[in-house]
PDB file of all heavy atoms in Angstrom:
ATOM      1  N   PRO A   5    -234.412 135.381  57.621  1.00  0.00           N
ATOM      2  CA  PRO A   5    -234.031 133.971  57.495  1.00  0.00           C
ATOM      3  C   PRO A   5    -232.869 133.553  58.392  1.00  0.00           C
ATOM      4  O   PRO A   5    -232.868 132.438  58.912  1.00  0.00           O
ATOM      5  CB  PRO A   5    -233.669 133.843  56.006  1.00  0.00           C
ATOM      6  CG  PRO A   5    -234.474 134.902  55.329  1.00  0.00           C
ATOM      7  CD  PRO A   5    -234.521 136.042  56.303  1.00  0.00           C
ATOM      8  N   ALA A   6    -231.870 134.436  58.575  1.00  0.00           N
ATOM      9  CA  ALA A   6    -230.720 134.058  59.407  1.00  0.00           C
ATOM     10  C   ALA A   6    -231.159 133.811  60.846  1.00  0.00           C
ATOM     11  O   ALA A   6    -230.766 132.819  61.475  1.00  0.00           O
ATOM     12  CB  ALA A   6    -229.646 135.139  59.359  1.00  0.00           C
ATOM     13  N   ARG A   7    -232.022 134.698  61.379  1.00  0.00           N
ATOM     14  CA  ARG A   7    -232.493 134.509  62.746  1.00  0.00           C
ATOM     15  C   ARG A   7    -233.422 133.300  62.827  1.00  0.00           C
ATOM     16  O   ARG A   7    -233.367 132.527  63.795  1.00  0.00           O
ATOM     17  CB  ARG A   7    -233.209 135.772  63.234  1.00  0.00           C
ATOM     18  CG  ARG A   7    -233.745 135.619  64.653  1.00  0.00           C
ATOM     19  CD  ARG A   7    -234.284 136.908  65.242  1.00  0.00           C
ATOM     20  NE  ARG A   7    -234.922 136.643  66.518  1.00  0.00           N
ATOM     21  CZ  ARG A   7    -234.292 136.487  67.674  1.00  0.00           C
ATOM     22  NH1 ARG A   7    -232.976 136.575  67.710  1.00  0.00           N
ATOM     23  NH2 ARG A   7    -234.952 136.240  68.787  1.00  0.00           N
ATOM     24  N   THR A   8    -234.270 133.102  61.822  1.00  0.00           N
ATOM     25  CA  THR A   8    -235.184 131.962  61.848  1.00  0.00           C
ATOM     26  C   THR A   8    -234.406 130.652  61.823  1.00  0.00           C
ATOM     27  O   THR A   8    -234.738 129.708  62.552  1.00  0.00           O
ATOM     28  CB  THR A   8    -236.148 132.022  60.651  1.00  0.00           C
ATOM     29  OG1 THR A   8    -236.863 133.254  60.700  1.00  0.00           O
ATOM     30  CG2 THR A   8    -237.130 130.854  60.679  1.00  0.00           C
ATOM     31  N   ARG A   9    -233.352 130.592  60.997  1.00  0.00           N
ATOM     32  CA  ARG A   9    -232.527 129.384  60.936  1.00  0.00           C
ATOM     33  C   ARG A   9    -231.880 129.104  62.289  1.00  0.00           C
ATOM     34  O   ARG A   9    -231.810 127.957  62.748  1.00  0.00           O
ATOM     35  CB  ARG A   9    -231.459 129.552  59.849  1.00  0.00           C
ATOM     36  CG  ARG A   9    -230.545 128.349  59.640  1.00  0.00           C
ATOM     37  CD  ARG A   9    -231.296 127.226  58.956  1.00  0.00           C
ATOM     38  NE  ARG A   9    -230.442 126.083  58.700  1.00  0.00           N
ATOM     39  CZ  ARG A   9    -229.874 125.812  57.536  1.00  0.00           C
ATOM     40  NH1 ARG A   9    -230.071 126.622  56.499  1.00  0.00           N
ATOM     41  NH2 ARG A   9    -229.145 124.751  57.374  1.00  0.00           N
ATOM     42  N   ALA A  10    -231.390 130.157  62.922  1.00  0.00           N
ATOM     43  CA  ALA A  10    -230.765 129.977  64.234  1.00  0.00           C
ATOM     44  C   ALA A  10    -231.799 129.559  65.283  1.00  0.00           C
ATOM     45  O   ALA A  10    -231.519 128.720  66.153  1.00  0.00           O
ATOM     46  CB  ALA A  10    -230.062 131.264  64.654  1.00  0.00           C
ATOM     47  N   LEU A  11    -232.992 130.149  65.240  1.00  0.00           N
ATOM     48  CA  LEU A  11    -234.062 129.737  66.166  1.00  0.00           C
ATOM     49  C   LEU A  11    -234.428 128.272  65.972  1.00  0.00           C
ATOM     50  O   LEU A  11    -234.625 127.532  66.945  1.00  0.00           O
ATOM     51  CB  LEU A  11    -235.303 130.601  65.942  1.00  0.00           C
ATOM     52  CG  LEU A  11    -235.387 131.941  66.662  1.00  0.00           C
ATOM     53  CD1 LEU A  11    -236.587 132.730  66.153  1.00  0.00           C
ATOM     54  CD2 LEU A  11    -235.483 131.746  68.173  1.00  0.00           C
ATOM     55  N   THR A  12    -234.518 127.840  64.703  1.00  0.00           N
ATOM     56  CA  THR A  12    -234.807 126.435  64.420  1.00  0.00           C
ATOM     57  C   THR A  12    -233.714 125.547  65.002  1.00  0.00           C
ATOM     58  O   THR A  12    -233.989 124.514  65.622  1.00  0.00           O
ATOM     59  CB  THR A  12    -234.909 126.201  62.900  1.00  0.00           C
ATOM     60  OG1 THR A  12    -235.880 127.087  62.351  1.00  0.00           O
ATOM     61  CG2 THR A  12    -235.304 124.768  62.594  1.00  0.00           C
ATOM     62  N   GLY A  13    -232.472 125.961  64.801  1.00  0.00           N
ATOM     63  CA  GLY A  13    -231.357 125.196  65.349  1.00  0.00           C
ATOM     64  C   GLY A  13    -231.403 125.109  66.853  1.00  0.00           C
ATOM     65  O   GLY A  13    -231.136 124.049  67.443  1.00  0.00           O
ATOM     66  N   LEU A  14    -231.752 126.219  67.510  1.00  0.00           N
ATOM     67  CA  LEU A  14    -231.864 126.197  68.967  1.00  0.00           C
ATOM     68  C   LEU A  14    -232.986 125.253  69.396  1.00  0.00           C
ATOM     69  O   LEU A  14    -232.852 124.514  70.382  1.00  0.00           O
ATOM     70  CB  LEU A  14    -232.109 127.606  69.499  1.00  0.00           C
ATOM     71  CG  LEU A  14    -232.169 127.748  71.018  1.00  0.00           C
ATOM     72  CD1 LEU A  14    -230.870 127.280  71.672  1.00  0.00           C
ATOM     73  CD2 LEU A  14    -232.474 129.188  71.420  1.00  0.00           C
ATOM     74  N   GLY A  15    -234.093 125.253  68.658  1.00  0.00           N
ATOM     75  CA  GLY A  15    -235.184 124.342  68.972  1.00  0.00           C
ATOM     76  C   GLY A  15    -234.761 122.888  68.854  1.00  0.00           C
ATOM     77  O   GLY A  15    -235.086 122.056  69.721  1.00  0.00           O
ATOM     78  N   ILE A  16    -234.021 122.549  67.792  1.00  0.00           N
ATOM     79  CA  ILE A  16    -233.507 121.186  67.623  1.00  0.00           C
ATOM     80  C   ILE A  16    -232.598 120.825  68.794  1.00  0.00           C
ATOM     81  O   ILE A  16    -232.678 119.727  69.363  1.00  0.00           O
ATOM     82  CB  ILE A  16    -232.733 121.069  66.295  1.00  0.00           C
ATOM     83  CG1 ILE A  16    -233.668 121.260  65.093  1.00  0.00           C
ATOM     84  CG2 ILE A  16    -231.985 119.748  66.210  1.00  0.00           C
ATOM     85  CD1 ILE A  16    -234.616 120.126  64.852  1.00  0.00           C
ATOM     86  N   THR A  17    -231.736 121.748  69.156  1.00  0.00           N
ATOM     87  CA  THR A  17    -230.751 121.493  70.208  1.00  0.00           C
ATOM     88  C   THR A  17    -231.418 121.220  71.553  1.00  0.00           C
ATOM     89  O   THR A  17    -231.104 120.237  72.229  1.00  0.00           O
ATOM     90  CB  THR A  17    -229.791 122.695  70.321  1.00  0.00           C
ATOM     91  OG1 THR A  17    -229.160 122.905  69.058  1.00  0.00           O
ATOM     92  CG2 THR A  17    -228.736 122.447  71.368  1.00  0.00           C
ATOM     93  N   VAL A  18    -232.342 122.068  71.960  1.00  0.00           N
ATOM     94  CA  VAL A  18    -232.961 121.874  73.273  1.00  0.00           C
ATOM     95  C   VAL A  18    -233.893 120.657  73.258  1.00  0.00           C
ATOM     96  O   VAL A  18    -234.090 120.002  74.286  1.00  0.00           O
ATOM     97  CB  VAL A  18    -233.695 123.142  73.754  1.00  0.00           C
ATOM     98  CG1 VAL A  18    -232.727 124.304  73.884  1.00  0.00           C
ATOM     99  CG2 VAL A  18    -234.849 123.506  72.858  1.00  0.00           C
ATOM    100  N   THR A  19    -234.462 120.323  72.089  1.00  0.00           N
ATOM    101  CA  THR A  19    -235.260 119.095  71.988  1.00  0.00           C
ATOM    102  C   THR A  19    -234.387 117.882  72.253  1.00  0.00           C
ATOM    103  O   THR A  19    -234.755 116.977  73.021  1.00  0.00           O
ATOM    104  CB  THR A  19    -235.903 118.977  70.593  1.00  0.00           C
ATOM    105  OG1 THR A  19    -236.791 120.077  70.396  1.00  0.00           O
ATOM    106  CG2 THR A  19    -236.688 117.681  70.453  1.00  0.00           C
ATOM    107  N   LEU A  20    -233.209 117.846  71.634  1.00  0.00           N
ATOM    108  CA  LEU A  20    -232.299 116.718  71.833  1.00  0.00           C
ATOM    109  C   LEU A  20    -231.767 116.669  73.262  1.00  0.00           C
ATOM    110  O   LEU A  20    -231.388 115.605  73.748  1.00  0.00           O
ATOM    111  CB  LEU A  20    -231.140 116.801  70.833  1.00  0.00           C
ATOM    112  CG  LEU A  20    -231.525 116.569  69.368  1.00  0.00           C
ATOM    113  CD1 LEU A  20    -230.340 116.831  68.453  1.00  0.00           C
ATOM    114  CD2 LEU A  20    -232.059 115.158  69.166  1.00  0.00           C
ATOM    115  N   GLN A  21    -231.735 117.823  73.933  1.00  0.00           N
ATOM    116  CA  GLN A  21    -231.327 117.836  75.336  1.00  0.00           C
ATOM    117  C   GLN A  21    -232.453 117.405  76.275  1.00  0.00           C
ATOM    118  O   GLN A  21    -232.231 117.236  77.467  1.00  0.00           O
ATOM    119  CB  GLN A  21    -230.848 119.232  75.734  1.00  0.00           C
ATOM    120  CG  GLN A  21    -229.507 119.610  75.127  1.00  0.00           C
ATOM    121  CD  GLN A  21    -229.008 120.933  75.650  1.00  0.00           C
ATOM    122  OE1 GLN A  21    -229.703 121.950  75.582  1.00  0.00           O
ATOM    123  NE2 GLN A  21    -227.801 120.940  76.183  1.00  0.00           N
ATOM    124  N   GLY A  22    -233.665 117.248  75.739  1.00  0.00           N
ATOM    125  CA  GLY A  22    -234.785 116.824  76.568  1.00  0.00           C
ATOM    126  C   GLY A  22    -235.492 117.948  77.286  1.00  0.00           C
ATOM    127  O   GLY A  22    -236.324 117.700  78.170  1.00  0.00           O
ATOM    128  N   ASP A  23    -235.212 119.198  76.919  1.00  0.00           N
ATOM    129  CA  ASP A  23    -235.873 120.354  77.544  1.00  0.00           C
ATOM    130  C   ASP A  23    -237.133 120.660  76.726  1.00  0.00           C
ATOM    131  O   ASP A  23    -237.194 121.617  75.953  1.00  0.00           O
ATOM    132  CB  ASP A  23    -234.921 121.546  77.550  1.00  0.00           C
ATOM    133  CG  ASP A  23    -235.433 122.709  78.402  1.00  0.00           C
ATOM    134  OD1 ASP A  23    -236.619 122.670  78.788  1.00  0.00           O
ATOM    135  OD2 ASP A  23    -234.651 123.640  78.651  1.00  0.00           O
ATOM    136  N   TYR A  24    -238.166 119.828  76.911  1.00  0.00           N
ATOM    137  CA  TYR A  24    -239.324 119.872  76.021  1.00  0.00           C
ATOM    138  C   TYR A  24    -240.197 121.112  76.219  1.00  0.00           C
ATOM    139  O   TYR A  24    -240.835 121.583  75.268  1.00  0.00           O
ATOM    140  CB  TYR A  24    -240.166 118.608  76.196  1.00  0.00           C
ATOM    141  CG  TYR A  24    -239.452 117.341  75.786  1.00  0.00           C
ATOM    142  CD1 TYR A  24    -239.710 116.129  76.426  1.00  0.00           C
ATOM    143  CD2 TYR A  24    -238.508 117.338  74.762  1.00  0.00           C
ATOM    144  CE1 TYR A  24    -239.062 114.958  76.053  1.00  0.00           C
ATOM    145  CE2 TYR A  24    -237.851 116.183  74.384  1.00  0.00           C
ATOM    146  CZ  TYR A  24    -238.129 114.996  75.036  1.00  0.00           C
ATOM    147  OH  TYR A  24    -237.475 113.850  74.670  1.00  0.00           O
ATOM    148  N   ASP A  25    -240.242 121.664  77.431  1.00  0.00           N
ATOM    149  CA  ASP A  25    -241.035 122.884  77.647  1.00  0.00           C
ATOM    150  C   ASP A  25    -240.475 124.042  76.823  1.00  0.00           C
ATOM    151  O   ASP A  25    -241.215 124.746  76.117  1.00  0.00           O
ATOM    152  CB  ASP A  25    -241.049 123.247  79.132  1.00  0.00           C
ATOM    153  CG  ASP A  25    -241.893 122.279  79.953  1.00  0.00           C
ATOM    154  OD1 ASP A  25    -242.721 121.565  79.353  1.00  0.00           O
ATOM    155  OD2 ASP A  25    -241.714 122.223  81.179  1.00  0.00           O
ATOM    156  N   LEU A  26    -239.173 124.249  76.930  1.00  0.00           N
ATOM    157  CA  LEU A  26    -238.553 125.313  76.152  1.00  0.00           C
ATOM    158  C   LEU A  26    -238.656 125.010  74.662  1.00  0.00           C
ATOM    159  O   LEU A  26    -238.925 125.907  73.845  1.00  0.00           O
ATOM    160  CB  LEU A  26    -237.078 125.475  76.549  1.00  0.00           C
ATOM    161  CG  LEU A  26    -236.270 126.509  75.753  1.00  0.00           C
ATOM    162  CD1 LEU A  26    -236.924 127.885  75.803  1.00  0.00           C
ATOM    163  CD2 LEU A  26    -234.827 126.569  76.264  1.00  0.00           C
ATOM    164  N   ALA A  27    -238.461 123.750  74.286  1.00  0.00           N
ATOM    165  CA  ALA A  27    -238.546 123.373  72.874  1.00  0.00           C
ATOM    166  C   ALA A  27    -239.933 123.657  72.310  1.00  0.00           C
ATOM    167  O   ALA A  27    -240.068 124.094  71.155  1.00  0.00           O
ATOM    168  CB  ALA A  27    -238.191 121.900  72.699  1.00  0.00           C
ATOM    169  N   THR A  28    -240.968 123.431  73.105  1.00  0.00           N
ATOM    170  CA  THR A  28    -242.341 123.701  72.648  1.00  0.00           C
ATOM    171  C   THR A  28    -242.538 125.185  72.379  1.00  0.00           C
ATOM    172  O   THR A  28    -243.136 125.578  71.361  1.00  0.00           O
ATOM    173  CB  THR A  28    -243.349 123.201  73.697  1.00  0.00           C
ATOM    174  OG1 THR A  28    -243.175 121.786  73.877  1.00  0.00           O
ATOM    175  CG2 THR A  28    -244.777 123.465  73.255  1.00  0.00           C
ATOM    176  N   ARG A  29    -242.029 126.032  73.264  1.00  0.00           N
ATOM    177  CA  ARG A  29    -242.149 127.475  73.054  1.00  0.00           C
ATOM    178  C   ARG A  29    -241.354 127.917  71.822  1.00  0.00           C
ATOM    179  O   ARG A  29    -241.822 128.725  71.017  1.00  0.00           O
ATOM    180  CB  ARG A  29    -241.662 128.228  74.298  1.00  0.00           C
ATOM    181  CG  ARG A  29    -242.521 127.993  75.535  1.00  0.00           C
ATOM    182  CD  ARG A  29    -242.219 129.014  76.622  1.00  0.00           C
ATOM    183  NE  ARG A  29    -240.866 128.926  77.119  1.00  0.00           N
ATOM    184  CZ  ARG A  29    -240.469 128.119  78.105  1.00  0.00           C
ATOM    185  NH1 ARG A  29    -241.353 127.286  78.689  1.00  0.00           N
ATOM    186  NH2 ARG A  29    -239.225 128.093  78.515  1.00  0.00           N
ATOM    187  N   LEU A  30    -240.159 127.359  71.673  1.00  0.00           N
ATOM    188  CA  LEU A  30    -239.344 127.715  70.518  1.00  0.00           C
ATOM    189  C   LEU A  30    -239.983 127.243  69.217  1.00  0.00           C
ATOM    190  O   LEU A  30    -239.928 127.934  68.195  1.00  0.00           O
ATOM    191  CB  LEU A  30    -237.944 127.100  70.658  1.00  0.00           C
ATOM    192  CG  LEU A  30    -236.996 127.805  71.638  1.00  0.00           C
ATOM    193  CD1 LEU A  30    -235.764 126.948  71.886  1.00  0.00           C
ATOM    194  CD2 LEU A  30    -236.584 129.174  71.098  1.00  0.00           C
ATOM    195  N   SER A  31    -240.596 126.066  69.243  1.00  0.00           N
ATOM    196  CA  SER A  31    -241.235 125.530  68.038  1.00  0.00           C
ATOM    197  C   SER A  31    -242.328 126.479  67.545  1.00  0.00           C
ATOM    198  O   SER A  31    -242.442 126.750  66.340  1.00  0.00           O
ATOM    199  CB  SER A  31    -241.808 124.137  68.316  1.00  0.00           C
ATOM    200  OG  SER A  31    -242.419 123.608  67.167  1.00  0.00           O
ATOM    201  N   ALA A  32    -243.119 127.007  68.469  1.00  0.00           N
ATOM    202  CA  ALA A  32    -244.169 127.956  68.090  1.00  0.00           C
ATOM    203  C   ALA A  32    -243.562 129.242  67.535  1.00  0.00           C
ATOM    204  O   ALA A  32    -244.042 129.807  66.534  1.00  0.00           O
ATOM    205  CB  ALA A  32    -245.047 128.259  69.298  1.00  0.00           C
ATOM    206  N   GLU A  33    -242.487 129.719  68.167  1.00  0.00           N
ATOM    207  CA  GLU A  33    -241.834 130.938  67.696  1.00  0.00           C
ATOM    208  C   GLU A  33    -241.242 130.725  66.302  1.00  0.00           C
ATOM    209  O   GLU A  33    -241.316 131.607  65.439  1.00  0.00           O
ATOM    210  CB  GLU A  33    -240.727 131.348  68.683  1.00  0.00           C
ATOM    211  CG  GLU A  33    -240.087 132.682  68.350  1.00  0.00           C
ATOM    212  CD  GLU A  33    -239.047 133.115  69.381  1.00  0.00           C
ATOM    213  OE1 GLU A  33    -238.900 132.443  70.424  1.00  0.00           O
ATOM    214  OE2 GLU A  33    -238.366 134.126  69.112  1.00  0.00           O
ATOM    215  N   VAL A  34    -240.672 129.547  66.077  1.00  0.00           N
ATOM    216  CA  VAL A  34    -240.079 129.243  64.772  1.00  0.00           C
ATOM    217  C   VAL A  34    -241.159 129.194  63.692  1.00  0.00           C
ATOM    218  O   VAL A  34    -240.966 129.713  62.581  1.00  0.00           O
ATOM    219  CB  VAL A  34    -239.299 127.913  64.836  1.00  0.00           C
ATOM    220  CG1 VAL A  34    -238.962 127.406  63.429  1.00  0.00           C
ATOM    221  CG2 VAL A  34    -238.026 128.079  65.658  1.00  0.00           C
ATOM    222  N   ARG A  35    -242.309 128.579  63.988  1.00  0.00           N
ATOM    223  CA  ARG A  35    -243.395 128.519  63.002  1.00  0.00           C
ATOM    224  C   ARG A  35    -243.831 129.915  62.586  1.00  0.00           C
ATOM    225  O   ARG A  35    -244.006 130.209  61.403  1.00  0.00           O
ATOM    226  CB  ARG A  35    -244.592 127.745  63.575  1.00  0.00           C
ATOM    227  CG  ARG A  35    -244.437 126.246  63.569  1.00  0.00           C
ATOM    228  CD  ARG A  35    -245.781 125.550  63.746  1.00  0.00           C
ATOM    229  NE  ARG A  35    -246.488 125.962  64.950  1.00  0.00           N
ATOM    230  CZ  ARG A  35    -246.314 125.424  66.155  1.00  0.00           C
ATOM    231  NH1 ARG A  35    -245.441 124.441  66.308  1.00  0.00           N
ATOM    232  NH2 ARG A  35    -247.003 125.856  67.190  1.00  0.00           N
TER     233      ARG A  35
END
């Protein structure tokens, strides 16, 4: 859970930065 929470946070962060390619990969990893 600690790593998953951090991965989710990283996904939120890069999404807000507009880095949608990386965010898409992170979103799949988080799921």
